[in-house]
Amino acid sequence: MQIVAPAGSADGLRASVFAGADAVYLGMPLFGARAKAENFDDVGLKNAVEFAHLYGVKVFITLNTLIKDDEMNKAIQAAEYAYNVGVDAAIVQDLRFIKQLKRHIPELTLHASTQMGVHNAEGAQALRDLGIMRAVLARETLPKDIAEIKKTGIEIEYFVQGALCICFSGNCYFSSLASSYSGNRGKCMQLCRKPYMFHGNRGYYLSAKDLCLYDELNELKDLGVDAIKIEGRMRSAEYAYNAVGVYKSDMPTDKAKDMLKAVFNRGDYCSAYMTKDAAFNVVYPQTQSNIGKFIGKIDKISGKQLFVKNFVPDNADGFKVMRNGKEVAGATVRNGGIVSDGQCKIGDELRRTLDGALAKSVKAARRDIDINVKINMFVGHVPEVTVTSYGVTTKTVGEAKLSSAITRGITVDDITRTFLKVSDYPFSPHIEVETDGNAFMPVSALNELRRKAYAEHKAKILSSYRIARSDGRFDGLSFNRFDGKGVILQVGDTSLLDKHILSKVDYISINPSDYARFDIPRGIDKPILLNMPITMRGEDRRILEQAIDRDGIFGVISNNLYTLKLTDKPILLGTGHNIIGDCEFNHIRSFEADDTNGGFTYVFGYAPVMTLCHCPHGKCVNCSGKDELTDESGRKFELRRYKAANCYWQLLNCVPHYLPDVKNAHKFYDCTAVDGKTIKSVLDSEYIGPFTRGNIKKGLK
């Protein structure tokens, strides 16, 4: 399997390449999902591509944010520049941007970002229609679904290491609706890493452990995964170097995880959803950050100085002190001793979060390219240098024929010493010299011949690099499009519908809490839509197909690409597709958009800021399907469960999204989480109470 490694900076790029990555992914200053990474400007990107390609390493550019209409031309220009400097593929999310790229740069290979949430065969088939070559699958994808996805013919890339978004495939709106800084635009404020109250306890109940699938590599290979991906463009160069090295190795699991923990470890790792009980082991509520590698328990304290038996720190080490899973202090090394900044006790855990010796070794690391260099120097002939590597051969000749030496001819040792000097070239020469020993060549000319030979060979390696371009195919998304207009009311409980409510709307959308069991109202003269969940994993498919096929369901609201391949009934694209600009398809505009032009406007609703595939209770309990989290300011966020074959939870915003003065005639009211009285007040424009306008006035950042 190919190893795809992060390159959030020039140092990260070098580390990933030197460690032996097969491909790197990196971003430009705009339109990448890690806006706070160092990223690469135009010159930096050109140099990065040349550097990686010199080692035969592919470069994938991240253009995987949502793009506003007034940014589209600039985004296309960025893609064109990346294409022209030789990136191997672009990682993308925005459906509208994908269409523009296929129109303007049809040969640019596209990979679907994990932000697209592809996690089943139907979603993969939709990607194929879009002309996308590879899917970076949602981390929530189940093993049985990976095998089915492989049958579609699409390439599969799967995350195996690094941060795990607690929200389904990173499709999170929490940061955006709280601050206007959108995670879907690379500017996540990481509100999931804040503490919350849950059932009377304070903890980091939205903070996921780091992902580590080292044990599952053989299974992933058997399932047909083509490339494994390491998350971490915001992490250190030593993290990238270590992670690539571990995943290229065949070392025992304990040693592998120790090495990984040496550079970053949030929560002692989890296997995401690869194992049966994984959904109960995703969250680490004790702390939200790196807890490092366990060194030992503190057995002596002298003032602020800490001691662990038989452990000698490096002067550049950094530490955390943990007690009962929680951080109580930090510690650094001063004059060879470990000094804490807090109150520690005998028996507390000392964990190293910065390995100074490792950082130094990574900084000194390099990866040489073996080259075979043959030099021929004979009197009466021009000197010849033949350089071979990677199956590439370059022949360089001197300026003139060599004359006989008057006193001392150039020797094999002279030539060898000269060609062992590689300057800035990453070459490791193996030299063979043939000479009659009588030829004369000035040292300056010999050095110039070496420089010329190595420069020409580097250029030949780069020119020989072959980029697999797309065939330009783009069938586009084909489905039965919903062409309705007017007002759509979405409810979870259809018993709330009465004549007054029905008189105000044109369509009813049902948003069930259980897709196997929900009531379809009879005797009403409004077409009924079924709101489809963002998730369809494993046995969910059977239940969702049956739900769609029920009598009385006119059409569906799609929130993920899979729906487009699941039914022939009319389909309206829902908020799960997160459309924030002009779109050829009839759609419900994203509630994180900052204008209301086009499609149905999301006028009212407790917006689902997250969809969770894990159980917030940590075990299966006889729950009511409703719960709540409370933040540090006392704001309450409802948790709403929905079920197909699997259970899922949505975290709803603490206040409703409400646009009472919207002018758009096509409106969508999501009244899933409110009672009949509130529904009437909203439809009658009489709603009073706290609400948010989302990003309409703040602007989506």
Side-chain angles (χ1 to χ4, degrees):
M1 293 182 290
Q2 185 185 70
I3 295 180
V4 183
S9 64
D11 286 342
L13 170 67
R14 286 191 291 271
S16 289
V17 170
F18 288 166
D22 301 294
V24 294
Y25 63 103
L26 49 81
M28 300 169 76
L30 297 174
F31 312 120
R34 289 292 182 270
K36 294 179 182 178
E38 290 185 26
N39 295 316
F40 295 81
D41 60 16
D42 285 356
V43 173
L45 178 62
K46 185 176 184 297
N47 292 338
V49 171
E50 182 178 287
F51 173 77
H53 285 179
L54 187 60
Y55 292 91
V57 176
K58 297 179 183 297
V59 177
F60 304 150
I61 191 75
T62 57
L63 295 169
N64 57 338
T65 62
L66 298 178
I67 298 168
K68 296 183 182 183
D69 290 336
D70 60 3
E71 298 170 333
M72 193 63 73
N73 286 338
K74 185 178 287 188
I76 293 168
Q77 290 170 5
E80 287 176 336
Y81 178 81
Y83 173 81
N84 288 332
V85 299
V87 298
D88 294 85
I91 305 171
V92 293
Q93 174 193 181
D94 193 305
L95 287 173
R96 302 173 310 118
F97 184 46
I98 291 169
K99 181 179 179 182
Q100 293 299 322
L101 289 177
K102 283 297 182 180
R103 175 183 298 169
H104 292 277
I105 324 171
E107 291 187 345
L108 175 62
T109 296
L110 300 183
H111 295 175
S113 170
T114 189
Q115 298 291 123
M116 293 190 80
V118 172
H119 60 292
N120 51 44
E122 287 77 9
Q125 288 165 356
L127 291 184
R128 297 278 290 169
D129 291 346
L130 289 169
I132 291 178
M133 306 285 289
R134 173 180 290 190
V136 184
L137 298 183
R139 292 165 175 83
E140 296 80 3
T141 309
L142 299 177
K144 64 175 66 177
D145 289 321
I146 296 175
E148 293 301 311
I149 291 168
K150 185 63 179 178
K151 294 176 183 178
T152 69
I154 202 165
E155 291 181 11
I156 296 175
E157 187 170 306
Y158 200 76
F159 277 101
V160 295
Q161 185 69 36
L164 180 68
C165 284
I166 199 67
C167 176
F168 171 74
S169 205
N171 286 208
C172 180
Y173 310 99
F174 204 170
S175 176
S176 176
L177 294 185
S179 68
S180 78
Y181 288 93
S182 171
N184 292 298
R185 286 170 58 80
K187 301 173 183 178
C188 181
M189 301 296 288
Q190 293 200 324
L191 300 181
C192 56
R193 305 299 183 187
K194 300 286 186 181
Y196 295 89
M197 295 296 295
F198 185 59
H199 287 236
N201 298 310
R202 182 182 184 274
Y204 298 93
Y205 291 106
L206 293 176
S207 184
K209 300 178 180 181
D210 264 18
L211 173 68
C212 180
L213 296 183
Y214 183 80
D215 281 343
E216 285 74 24
L217 290 182
N218 287 334
E219 181 181 0
L220 291 173
K221 185 176 182 180
D222 291 343
L223 289 169
V225 171
D226 298 284
I228 55 174
K229 188 168 191 173
I230 298 166
E231 186 276 338
R233 282 193 289 142
M234 295 291 292
R235 296 187 179 178
S236 65
E238 52 264 30
Y239 165 85
Y241 188 86
N242 231 28
V244 172
V246 166
Y247 278 93
K248 283 182 70 71
S249 75
D250 191 25
M251 65 180 67
T253 296
D254 288 348
K255 181 179 179 181
K257 289 190 175 180
D258 267 354
M259 289 186 65
L260 292 168
K261 289 175 181 179
V263 285
F264 203 94
N265 167 29
R266 186 185 275 119
D268 280 338
Y269 300 140
C270 70
S271 59
Y273 300 90
M274 286 294 293
T275 56
K276 182 179 179 181
D277 295 326
F280 301 120
N281 191 37
V282 171
V283 169
Y284 188 73
Q286 285 91 342
T287 187
Q288 84 286 21
S289 58
N290 179 21
I291 64 172
K293 178 182 176 180
F294 176 74
I295 298 300
K297 291 190 175 182
I298 298 170
D299 57 11
K300 180 182 176 182
I301 299 176
S302 176
K304 291 290 185 180
Q305 190 165 350
L306 311 177
F307 297 87
V308 172
K309 189 176 181 180
N310 299 324
F311 176 68
V312 179
D314 184 271
N315 286 333
D317 281 352
F319 302 92
K320 282 184 178 179
V321 180
M322 310 286 288
R323 185 184 306 148
N324 298 324
K326 296 182 179 181
E327 180 182 349
V328 295
T332 54
V333 180
R334 300 179 200 168
N335 300 320
I338 303 170
V339 181
S340 75
D341 60 8
Q343 299 298 317
C344 303
K345 297 180 180 180
I346 301 294
D348 286 345
E349 291 184 359
L350 183 71
R351 287 179 167 266
R352 183 164 57 193
T353 54
L354 176 61
D355 188 327
L358 175 63
K360 293 170 190 172
S361 67
V362 172
K363 191 171 183 179
R366 59 178 287 141
R367 177 180 171 186
D368 289 330
I369 299 171
D370 287 330
I371 58 173
N372 294 315
V373 185
K374 184 176 181 181
I375 304 111
N376 292 331
M377 290 195 172
F378 296 96
V379 173
H381 297 271
V382 294
E384 294 181 353
V385 181
T386 304
V387 184
T388 303
S389 67
Y390 289 160
V392 175
T393 299
T394 309
K395 187 173 182 179
T396 303
V397 297
E399 296 292 331
K401 295 179 180 180
L402 298 176
S403 59
S404 296
I406 297 175
T407 55
R408 175 181 178 275
I410 194 165
T411 67
V412 170
D413 286 345
D414 294 333
I415 298 168
T416 300
R417 280 195 302 271
T418 297
F419 276 85
L420 283 174
K421 301 173 185 176
V422 295
S423 301
D424 293 331
Y425 296 105
F427 295 151
S428 177
H430 303 275
I431 297 171
E432 177 186 350
V433 178
E434 291 186 3
T435 179
D436 54 19
N438 294 319
F440 171 74
M441 190 175 194
V443 172
S444 60
L446 185 61
N447 280 321
E448 180 58 30
L449 179 62
R450 167 183 55 83
R451 286 191 288 267
K452 181 181 178 184
Y454 288 166
E456 288 181 352
H457 189 63
K458 176 184 175 182
K460 185 73 173 289
I461 292 174
L462 292 173
S463 66
S464 300
Y465 183 90
R466 291 291 174 259
I467 300 172
R469 292 304 190 190
S470 169
D471 60 10
R473 184 179 66 83
F474 179 69
D475 299 330
L477 297 177
S478 178
F479 57 92
N480 185 3
R481 303 185 189 186
F482 173 83
D483 60 2
K485 300 176 181 179
V487 176
I488 300 173
L489 171 66
Q490 180 162 284
V491 295
D493 182 0
T494 57
S495 69
L496 299 176
L497 300 173
D498 61 22
K499 288 183 179 180
H500 179 75
I501 291 174
L502 292 170
S503 70
K504 295 284 186 175
V505 304
D506 300 291
Y507 294 87
I508 296 296
S509 171
I510 302 176
N511 190 22
S513 59
D514 188 339
Y515 281 86
R517 301 176 183 85
F518 63 93
D519 293 328
I520 299 177
R522 305 297 178 183
I524 66 172
D525 60 352
K526 308 294 180 182
I528 296 174
L529 305 173
L530 179 63
N531 185 63
M532 296 297 291
I534 198 170
T535 49
M536 185 181 76
R537 300 154 72 236
E539 295 304 312
D540 291 343
R541 187 183 196 278
R542 174 181 54 83
I543 291 174
L544 294 179
E545 281 187 318
Q546 291 173 353
I548 292 173
D549 290 341
R550 287 183 59 180
D551 292 339
I553 298 297
F554 163 74
V556 301
I557 296 176
S558 165
N559 289 292
N560 186 278
L561 286 174
Y562 78 81
T563 317
L564 309 185
K565 295 294 183 179
L566 205 63
T567 181
D568 292 328
K569 291 184 177 181
I571 295 175
L572 172 66
L573 299 187
T575 56
H577 291 282
N578 212 10
I579 296 170
I580 64 169
D582 288 339
C583 180
E584 65 177 284
F585 305 113
N586 207 357
H587 65 282
I588 304 170
R589 204 167 185 85
S590 172
F591 39 70
E592 77 166 326
D594 56 13
D595 65 53
T596 59
N597 301 321
F600 284 80
T601 298
Y602 189 98
V603 176
F604 180 87
Y606 283 85
V609 296
M610 289 185 176
T611 297
L612 311 177
C613 294
H614 75 282
C615 179
H617 296 281
K619 60 182 179 179
C620 194
V621 297
N622 186 24
C623 63
S624 65
K626 289 188 177 181
D627 225 308
E628 67 180 19
L629 290 175
T630 305
D631 71 6
E632 293 177 294
S633 299
R635 290 172 293 211
K636 297 184 183 300
F637 297 82
E638 181 180 335
L639 282 163
R640 172 188 179 268
R641 185 191 66 191
Y642 71 83
K643 294 174 63 176
N646 300 292
C647 283
Y648 304 92
W649 292 80
Q650 288 180 320
L651 183 71
L652 307 184
N653 203 6
C654 57
V655 293
H657 188 95
Y658 187 38
L659 304 175
D661 51 358
V662 66
K663 302 302 182 184
N664 191 344
H666 310 308
K667 302 177 182 180
F668 179 78
Y669 296 89
D670 182 4
C671 293
T672 303
V674 300
D675 57 23
K677 182 179 178 180
T678 303
I679 294 174
K680 291 177 182 177
S681 70
V682 170
L683 294 176
D684 292 340
S685 301
E686 296 175 353
Y687 173 80
I688 55 174
F691 66 89
T692 176
R693 295 178 184 270
N695 295 311
I696 294 300
K697 289 189 175 180
K698 295 181 293 184
L700 179 63
K701 297 182 178 66

